Amino acid sequence: MKKSFIYSFIVLVLFSFAVQAQQSGDEIFDNSFIHEVRLQFDDTNFLSVLSNNFDSTPQEVGSRVPYLMAHVTIDGVQVDSVGVRYKGFTSYSPESPKKPIKIDFNEFVAGKRYDGLRKLNLNNATGDPAMQRDVICYDLLRAVGVNASRTSYSKVYLNDEYYGLYQTIEQVDQAFLKNNFSNDKGNLFKNKSWSKFEYNGPNKSGYDNIFELKTNRETDDWSGFINLMDVLNNSSDTEFESTIESIFNVDLYLKTLAVDVATGNWDSYLQHGRNWYVYEDTNTGVFHWIPWDYNFALESSSFGGEAEDCFVFPEFSGWTDGSETVKFYNTSFATEQPMYMYDFGDGNTSTEENPIHTFDQAGVYDVCLTLTVSENCTDQFCKTIDTNYDYNNCNSITSGQFGSEINEYFVQTVEWNSGCCGTWNEDCQEIYGWLSGAPGEGGSDFTVNQDDNEGVLIRRLMSVDKFKERYYEYFCQMTNQEYTPEKYEAFINDNKTLIETEIQNDPNQLFSYDQFVKDSGAEGILQTINTRHEALVTELEDTYGCQFNIVPVDYQDIVINELVASNDSLSNIADAEGKYEDWIELFNNTNQDI
């Protein structure tokens, strides 16, 4: 009987590996070595074309950056006629020597793939001197059971010139869905703006300036998504508790939340209201959370540049009222006090932080703001200003929806979300509060207890005892087993050993080699994990009573005893809640509790 069990188990394992080997991306996301990506452009002016394509495309939902045709050779395998463009938000800077890149194998020839993939992301690791934050966090997400992107490293060449080391990040698209879900034909929604998951009414128009449907665009069915928003925001406490799990994978998000809190991932739904997907399995009607973008987690200390811990991200808003006079407001970020230089596009300039400028005549002007901290820490941002535009004519102002007189933060909010000019809703108020720093608006902290989080999803889940209990259980398990200094000391050292030589040889690295060494060492990202782990252990012991004296488990202490796959009602094997979930039964071979 035991031999039969062992034989069956071996067959099952071999079958599982065979299935996994057929997944798209297994070759390029083999992280045991550094890959080589060579992009060859026929257009000799390709760098300018790539920059112009990106810079001229508005960063709004639905805006599509044009691709430039190229030929790519990856680890010796050539694919002709692929699309290439720059990508990113804060990771993209016009002045940066190493810009993030997206490759679309399918852009010019329908059905073309590499390693079963349609798209591939090459990230420049903005804010990440160790070049490991995305790699670590995606690894942690997958370790706790979240469907998350795979990663590897690649040396990238443009027309045979070495442009440096990049992180290779798996695209969340149809191939990702096929690898991670039994049904890959559902609706994939991408969050492309700032949102706390507020209900914006029963029509698609209330959401399509914040979210983008990435699949099934011809069908364009937002009904399930809007129903999810409705349940999150408008159901009673009793209705929410009994309904939400039938339309949303609660456990998947609770695990993601634990990772975001543990790693201090502020640039996410947890705090910033950005960077995630939700996938609707149209066979079951259940939505699944898919996280994205972790380069600012784990106390990312700087955004790039040769100067130590120096970053400048210039941005401004222009308050126009239909006259020739425009009020300019600085909304930039910088790690040190910068110098300001506005070029108003009419031959005049200003070094004030918030200048007021009167143009000779009404019209459209290209205005640029240059921020400078030092010679090696400077950047420029440009935008078009139409003096004929009058913010006072916004419907949300004339109708009184905004609730007060127009001000600079209203202007900034409308620039973040143009829909707020027409209809002022909770999402607009959230952005307004975040920009203005109004008490009680926006913000978060990284304590395990997230009861008071401003995000609708987090706040409502934490208000249900059974969900909160499961969240703490996941957090305890993760801090015990997956998110440990011991695991990531080895992980970080292995990655450092793998990429260190290429960091030294990288002609366009965003950080110095000394910064890389410091951030990869005991005083850098590992110290962040050590310090964070100690704080989490204390909080979890005090708040939830987690036990951290785990007895080591040896090989074959625990074995698979039985399993049921593709379970349904015909099996007559239901769980305690009467559901027919797939399951695995484990057997403890020892004489002690594990």
Side-chain angles (χ1 to χ4, degrees), residues 287-319:
F287 281 83
H288 304 266
W289 190 275
I290 302 173
W292 182 250
D293 202 357
Y294 281 78
N295 62 302
F296 291 147
L298 295 167
E299 295 186 5
S300 169
S301 60
S302 58
F303 287 60
E306 291 298 320
E308 180 73 22
D309 289 339
C310 177
F311 167 69
V312 289
F313 182 51
E315 195 166 22
F316 64 87
S317 61
W319 180 352

Short mmCIF file of all heavy atoms in Angstrom, two decimals, residues 287-319:
data_model
loop_
_atom_site.label_atom_id
_atom_site.label_comp_id
_atom_site.label_asym_id
_atom_site.label_seq_id
_atom_site.Cartn_x
_atom_site.Cartn_y
_atom_site.Cartn_z
N PHE A 287 -13.91 38.08 -8.61
CA PHE A 287 -12.78 38.94 -8.94
C PHE A 287 -11.56 38.54 -8.11
O PHE A 287 -11.68 38.20 -6.93
CB PHE A 287 -13.13 40.41 -8.65
CG PHE A 287 -13.96 41.04 -9.73
CD1 PHE A 287 -15.34 40.87 -9.74
CD2 PHE A 287 -13.37 41.81 -10.73
CE1 PHE A 287 -16.12 41.45 -10.73
CE2 PHE A 287 -14.15 42.40 -11.72
CZ PHE A 287 -15.52 42.23 -11.72
N HIS A 288 -10.38 38.62 -8.75
CA HIS A 288 -9.12 38.27 -8.10
C HIS A 288 -8.17 39.46 -8.19
O HIS A 288 -8.00 40.06 -9.25
CB HIS A 288 -8.48 37.05 -8.78
CG HIS A 288 -9.37 35.85 -8.83
ND1 HIS A 288 -9.33 34.87 -7.86
CD2 HIS A 288 -10.34 35.49 -9.70
CE1 HIS A 288 -10.24 33.94 -8.15
NE2 HIS A 288 -10.86 34.29 -9.26
N TRP A 289 -7.54 39.78 -7.08
CA TRP A 289 -6.60 40.90 -7.00
C TRP A 289 -5.25 40.48 -7.55
O TRP A 289 -4.72 39.41 -7.21
CB TRP A 289 -6.45 41.34 -5.55
CG TRP A 289 -5.71 42.62 -5.36
CD1 TRP A 289 -4.36 42.79 -5.27
CD2 TRP A 289 -6.28 43.92 -5.20
NE1 TRP A 289 -4.06 44.11 -5.07
CE2 TRP A 289 -5.21 44.83 -5.03
CE3 TRP A 289 -7.59 44.40 -5.20
CZ2 TRP A 289 -5.42 46.20 -4.85
CZ3 TRP A 289 -7.80 45.75 -5.02
CH2 TRP A 289 -6.72 46.64 -4.84
N ILE A 290 -4.65 41.32 -8.40
CA ILE A 290 -3.31 41.06 -8.94
C ILE A 290 -2.44 42.28 -8.64
O ILE A 290 -2.69 43.36 -9.18
CB ILE A 290 -3.34 40.79 -10.45
CG1 ILE A 290 -4.26 39.60 -10.76
CG2 ILE A 290 -1.93 40.52 -10.98
CD1 ILE A 290 -4.47 39.36 -12.25
N PRO A 291 -1.44 42.16 -7.77
CA PRO A 291 -0.61 43.32 -7.40
C PRO A 291 0.40 43.66 -8.49
O PRO A 291 0.72 42.84 -9.35
CB PRO A 291 0.09 42.84 -6.13
CG PRO A 291 0.17 41.35 -6.29
CD PRO A 291 -1.06 40.94 -7.05
N TRP A 292 0.92 44.90 -8.41
CA TRP A 292 1.85 45.37 -9.43
C TRP A 292 2.77 46.44 -8.86
O TRP A 292 2.33 47.28 -8.09
CB TRP A 292 1.06 45.91 -10.62
CG TRP A 292 1.89 46.40 -11.78
CD1 TRP A 292 2.07 47.69 -12.19
CD2 TRP A 292 2.66 45.59 -12.67
NE1 TRP A 292 2.89 47.73 -13.28
CE2 TRP A 292 3.28 46.46 -13.61
CE3 TRP A 292 2.90 44.22 -12.77
CZ2 TRP A 292 4.11 45.99 -14.62
CZ3 TRP A 292 3.73 43.75 -13.78
CH2 TRP A 292 4.31 44.64 -14.70
N ASP A 293 4.05 46.39 -9.21
CA ASP A 293 4.99 47.50 -9.01
C ASP A 293 5.40 47.67 -7.55
O ASP A 293 4.72 48.33 -6.77
CB ASP A 293 4.38 48.80 -9.54
CG ASP A 293 5.46 49.83 -9.86
OD1 ASP A 293 6.63 49.55 -9.61
OD2 ASP A 293 5.10 50.93 -10.34
N TYR A 294 6.59 47.15 -7.21
CA TYR A 294 7.07 47.19 -5.83
C TYR A 294 8.45 47.86 -5.69
O TYR A 294 9.13 47.65 -4.71
CB TYR A 294 7.13 45.76 -5.26
CG TYR A 294 5.77 45.26 -4.83
CD1 TYR A 294 4.85 44.80 -5.76
CD2 TYR A 294 5.38 45.27 -3.50
CE1 TYR A 294 3.59 44.37 -5.39
CE2 TYR A 294 4.13 44.83 -3.11
CZ TYR A 294 3.24 44.38 -4.06
OH TYR A 294 1.99 43.94 -3.68
N ASN A 295 8.84 48.68 -6.67
CA ASN A 295 10.18 49.27 -6.59
C ASN A 295 10.32 50.31 -5.48
O ASN A 295 11.43 50.65 -5.09
CB ASN A 295 10.57 49.89 -7.93
CG ASN A 295 9.66 51.02 -8.35
OD1 ASN A 295 8.45 50.82 -8.48
ND2 ASN A 295 10.19 52.20 -8.58
N PHE A 296 9.18 50.82 -4.94
CA PHE A 296 9.27 51.78 -3.85
C PHE A 296 8.99 51.14 -2.49
O PHE A 296 8.84 51.86 -1.49
CB PHE A 296 8.29 52.94 -4.08
CG PHE A 296 8.68 53.83 -5.24
CD1 PHE A 296 7.71 54.44 -6.01
CD2 PHE A 296 10.01 54.04 -5.55
CE1 PHE A 296 8.06 55.25 -7.07
CE2 PHE A 296 10.37 54.84 -6.61
CZ PHE A 296 9.40 55.46 -7.38
N ALA A 297 8.91 49.84 -2.43
CA ALA A 297 8.73 49.14 -1.15
C ALA A 297 10.07 49.03 -0.43
O ALA A 297 11.12 49.41 -0.96
CB ALA A 297 8.13 47.76 -1.39
N LEU A 298 10.02 48.50 0.79
CA LEU A 298 11.23 48.23 1.57
C LEU A 298 12.12 49.47 1.71
O LEU A 298 13.33 49.43 1.48
CB LEU A 298 12.02 47.07 0.93
CG LEU A 298 11.30 45.72 0.95
CD1 LEU A 298 12.00 44.72 0.05
CD2 LEU A 298 11.21 45.19 2.37
N GLU A 299 11.46 50.60 2.04
CA GLU A 299 12.17 51.85 2.30
C GLU A 299 13.07 52.25 1.16
O GLU A 299 14.26 52.56 1.34
CB GLU A 299 12.97 51.77 3.60
CG GLU A 299 12.10 51.60 4.84
CD GLU A 299 12.88 51.67 6.14
OE1 GLU A 299 14.09 51.95 6.09
OE2 GLU A 299 12.28 51.45 7.20
N SER A 300 12.51 52.27 -0.04
CA SER A 300 13.24 52.82 -1.18
C SER A 300 13.64 54.25 -0.83
O SER A 300 12.80 55.08 -0.51
CB SER A 300 12.33 52.82 -2.41
OG SER A 300 12.90 53.56 -3.46
N SER A 301 14.94 54.53 -0.86
CA SER A 301 15.42 55.80 -0.28
C SER A 301 15.69 56.88 -1.29
O SER A 301 15.82 58.05 -0.93
CB SER A 301 16.72 55.53 0.50
OG SER A 301 17.71 55.00 -0.36
N SER A 302 15.77 56.54 -2.55
CA SER A 302 16.06 57.57 -3.54
C SER A 302 15.61 57.10 -4.90
O SER A 302 15.36 55.94 -5.13
CB SER A 302 17.55 57.91 -3.57
OG SER A 302 18.32 56.76 -3.84
N PHE A 303 15.49 58.02 -5.83
CA PHE A 303 14.91 57.71 -7.12
C PHE A 303 15.94 57.63 -8.23
O PHE A 303 15.60 57.38 -9.36
CB PHE A 303 13.88 58.79 -7.48
CG PHE A 303 12.61 58.71 -6.70
CD1 PHE A 303 12.61 58.83 -5.33
CD2 PHE A 303 11.41 58.54 -7.34
CE1 PHE A 303 11.44 58.78 -4.61
CE2 PHE A 303 10.23 58.49 -6.63
CZ PHE A 303 10.24 58.62 -5.26
N GLY A 304 17.15 57.90 -7.97
CA GLY A 304 18.14 57.83 -9.04
C GLY A 304 18.98 59.08 -9.09
O GLY A 304 18.74 60.06 -8.42
N GLY A 305 20.00 59.08 -9.95
CA GLY A 305 20.89 60.22 -10.06
C GLY A 305 22.22 59.89 -9.42
O GLY A 305 22.34 59.03 -8.58
N GLU A 306 23.24 60.62 -9.84
CA GLU A 306 24.58 60.35 -9.34
C GLU A 306 24.76 60.85 -7.92
O GLU A 306 25.53 60.32 -7.15
CB GLU A 306 25.61 61.01 -10.26
CG GLU A 306 25.69 60.36 -11.64
CD GLU A 306 26.12 58.91 -11.55
OE1 GLU A 306 27.00 58.59 -10.74
OE2 GLU A 306 25.56 58.09 -12.28
N ALA A 307 24.04 61.93 -7.56
CA ALA A 307 24.20 62.46 -6.20
C ALA A 307 23.62 61.49 -5.19
O ALA A 307 22.63 60.82 -5.44
CB ALA A 307 23.51 63.81 -6.08
N GLU A 308 24.25 61.40 -4.03
CA GLU A 308 23.81 60.48 -2.98
C GLU A 308 22.38 60.80 -2.57
O GLU A 308 22.04 61.93 -2.22
CB GLU A 308 24.74 60.62 -1.77
CG GLU A 308 24.40 59.72 -0.62
CD GLU A 308 24.74 58.27 -0.89
OE1 GLU A 308 25.60 58.01 -1.74
OE2 GLU A 308 24.16 57.40 -0.23
N ASP A 309 21.51 59.80 -2.64
CA ASP A 309 20.12 59.94 -2.21
C ASP A 309 19.43 61.15 -2.84
O ASP A 309 18.66 61.85 -2.19
CB ASP A 309 20.04 60.05 -0.70
CG ASP A 309 20.37 58.72 -0.03
OD1 ASP A 309 20.27 57.68 -0.68
OD2 ASP A 309 20.71 58.76 1.15
N CYS A 310 19.70 61.42 -4.12
CA CYS A 310 19.14 62.60 -4.76
C CYS A 310 18.10 62.21 -5.80
O CYS A 310 18.33 61.30 -6.59
CB CYS A 310 20.24 63.42 -5.43
SG CYS A 310 19.61 64.84 -6.32
N PHE A 311 16.97 62.90 -5.76
CA PHE A 311 15.95 62.68 -6.76
C PHE A 311 15.15 63.96 -6.95
O PHE A 311 14.84 64.65 -5.99
CB PHE A 311 14.99 61.56 -6.35
CG PHE A 311 13.76 61.51 -7.21
CD1 PHE A 311 13.83 61.12 -8.52
CD2 PHE A 311 12.53 61.89 -6.69
CE1 PHE A 311 12.70 61.09 -9.32
CE2 PHE A 311 11.40 61.86 -7.48
CZ PHE A 311 11.49 61.46 -8.80
N VAL A 312 14.86 64.29 -8.19
CA VAL A 312 13.97 65.41 -8.49
C VAL A 312 12.91 64.93 -9.46
O VAL A 312 13.20 64.24 -10.44
CB VAL A 312 14.72 66.62 -9.09
CG1 VAL A 312 15.57 67.31 -8.06
CG2 VAL A 312 15.58 66.20 -10.28
N PHE A 313 11.67 65.25 -9.17
CA PHE A 313 10.54 64.88 -10.03
C PHE A 313 9.71 66.15 -10.25
O PHE A 313 8.79 66.45 -9.50
CB PHE A 313 9.71 63.78 -9.37
CG PHE A 313 8.56 63.32 -10.22
CD1 PHE A 313 8.74 62.93 -11.53
CD2 PHE A 313 7.28 63.26 -9.69
CE1 PHE A 313 7.67 62.50 -12.30
CE2 PHE A 313 6.20 62.83 -10.44
CZ PHE A 313 6.40 62.45 -11.76
N PRO A 314 10.07 66.97 -11.27
CA PRO A 314 9.39 68.25 -11.47
C PRO A 314 7.97 68.09 -12.00
O PRO A 314 7.70 67.22 -12.83
CB PRO A 314 10.28 68.96 -12.50
CG PRO A 314 10.94 67.84 -13.25
CD PRO A 314 11.12 66.72 -12.26
N GLU A 315 7.08 68.90 -11.48
CA GLU A 315 5.70 68.93 -11.96
C GLU A 315 5.05 70.21 -11.46
O GLU A 315 5.42 70.75 -10.42
CB GLU A 315 4.93 67.71 -11.46
CG GLU A 315 3.63 67.48 -12.20
CD GLU A 315 3.05 66.10 -11.94
OE1 GLU A 315 3.39 65.50 -10.91
OE2 GLU A 315 2.25 65.63 -12.76
N PHE A 316 4.09 70.71 -12.21
CA PHE A 316 3.40 71.92 -11.80
C PHE A 316 1.99 71.92 -12.38
O PHE A 316 1.68 71.17 -13.31
CB PHE A 316 4.15 73.18 -12.26
CG PHE A 316 4.24 73.33 -13.76
CD1 PHE A 316 3.23 73.97 -14.49
CD2 PHE A 316 5.33 72.82 -14.46
CE1 PHE A 316 3.31 74.09 -15.87
CE2 PHE A 316 5.41 72.93 -15.84
CZ PHE A 316 4.40 73.57 -16.55
N SER A 317 1.13 72.75 -11.81
CA SER A 317 -0.21 72.96 -12.37
C SER A 317 -0.35 74.42 -12.75
O SER A 317 0.30 75.30 -12.17
CB SER A 317 -1.29 72.58 -11.36
OG SER A 317 -1.20 73.38 -10.19
N GLY A 318 -1.19 74.67 -13.74
CA GLY A 318 -1.43 76.03 -14.19
C GLY A 318 -2.91 76.39 -14.03
O GLY A 318 -3.77 75.77 -14.66
N TRP A 319 -3.20 77.36 -13.19
CA TRP A 319 -4.59 77.78 -12.92
C TRP A 319 -4.95 78.87 -13.92
O TRP A 319 -4.47 79.99 -13.84
CB TRP A 319 -4.68 78.27 -11.49
CG TRP A 319 -6.05 78.72 -11.05
CD1 TRP A 319 -7.16 78.88 -11.82
CD2 TRP A 319 -6.43 79.07 -9.73
NE1 TRP A 319 -8.21 79.30 -11.06
CE2 TRP A 319 -7.80 79.43 -9.77
CE3 TRP A 319 -5.75 79.12 -8.51
CZ2 TRP A 319 -8.49 79.84 -8.64
CZ3 TRP A 319 -6.45 79.52 -7.38
CH2 TRP A 319 -7.81 79.87 -7.45
#
